[in-house]
Amino acid sequence: MKLTYLYLLISAFVLNAINAQSTASTQVTKFTIASTELDTLKTIWVYLPKNYENSTKSYSVIYMHDAQNLFDAKTSYVGEWEVDEYLDHLTDPKSIIIGVEHGNEKRIDELTPYNHEKYGGGKGDTYLSFITNTLKPHVDKTYRTKTDAEHTTIFGSSLGGLLSFYAVIKYPETFGNAGVSLLLFGLIQKYLI
């Protein structure tokens, strides 16, 4: 009986994953870029405001971690953030969103600035070096962006929030703003205090 229930539960999950429809806006595209810093290829998601193609103005840029969760229910493991749906409803969005896919099993390594004896990690500076030295120059060359720190934000939730907080303190010449999820404070309480 328990085995049959488990089989049905797994089947429902697999069928749901197979039949999931993309919810990403038509404003969202992807590209792949080599990261010599991380010795890997990174998939980058880009949200361009609806008026981008019909204007000549430059835009602020928000770099967001965990791109799989930002725009598409099909790729999110916990439900998408609906960033594109929100921005599509604005009359005049002021920012380009650059979503950096996490490295799956390397996520903890990439999104933590220090090594933890139990959980590992500690390659946050290398990941941020990729964003500042490889990705940001590519984005600034490819799109009409406001390149200064005042118009460059880094944003994340959970470990992405932790690294965003770290980035805005350690790299203020690159990131003038940070978006940090409140979940960060729970992590600090649990693991650092």
Side-chain angles (χ1 to χ4, degrees):
M1 179 76 168
K2 288 182 182 182
L3 189 57
T4 302
Y5 177 73
L6 180 61
Y7 174 75
L8 288 173
L9 186 62
I10 291 171
S11 296
F13 178 76
V14 169
L15 286 174
N16 186 41
I18 291 171
N19 293 323
Q21 297 294 313
S22 175
T23 59
S25 162
T26 57
Q27 300 306 117
V28 177
T29 59
K30 294 184 202 178
F31 68 87
T32 303
I33 188 169
S35 169
T36 56
E37 299 87 352
L38 296 165
D39 193 28
T40 191
L41 292 175
K42 288 300 240 178
T43 300
I44 308 300
W45 298 53
V46 180
Y47 176 90
L48 294 176
K50 284 186 174 183
N51 58 354
Y52 181 86
E53 294 299 328
N54 298 322
S55 77
T56 57
K57 73 178 187 176
S58 295
Y59 292 84
S60 296
V61 180
I62 302 174
Y63 291 88
M64 298 182 77
H65 314 291
D66 299 322
Q68 297 96 318
N69 299 329
L70 302 178
F71 307 110
D72 196 345
K74 187 174 181 178
T75 59
S76 175
Y77 73 97
V78 292
E80 72 162 297
W81 286 23
E82 298 182 2
V83 172
D84 49 336
E85 285 86 353
Y86 174 77
L87 292 171
D88 281 348
H89 283 92
L90 296 178
T91 306
D92 187 24
K94 308 274 188 234
S95 297
I96 294 171
I97 308 297
I98 301 296
V100 182
E101 281 198 5
H102 63 70
N104 295 311
E105 70 282 348
K106 297 177 184 174
R107 182 177 185 270
I108 290 176
D109 290 339
E110 292 177 358
L111 297 182
T112 54
Y114 304 106
N115 190 319
H116 186 279
E117 65 183 56
K118 182 177 179 183
Y119 299 107
K123 294 190 177 170
D125 279 309
T126 306
Y127 172 81
L128 291 172
S129 177
F130 158 68
I131 292 175
T132 59
N133 298 327
T134 301
L135 181 58
K136 185 177 184 319
H138 176 79
V139 167
D140 291 341
K141 185 173 85 174
T142 306
Y143 305 101
R144 293 186 315 275
T145 64
K146 296 178 180 177
T147 62
D148 60 314
E150 179 183 349
H151 293 98
T152 305
T153 299
I154 190 160
F155 191 107
S157 173
S158 185
L159 289 178
L162 172 67
L163 194 68
S164 296
F165 185 67
Y166 174 81
V168 78
I169 293 169
K170 186 147 187 195
Y171 303 96
E173 69 285 351
T174 302
F175 306 109
N177 312 285
V180 180
S181 165
L182 292 178
L183 180 58
L184 168 67
F185 299 107
L187 289 171
I188 289 172
Q189 249 180 346
K190 184 173 181 181
Y191 296 109
L192 302 177
I193 297 177

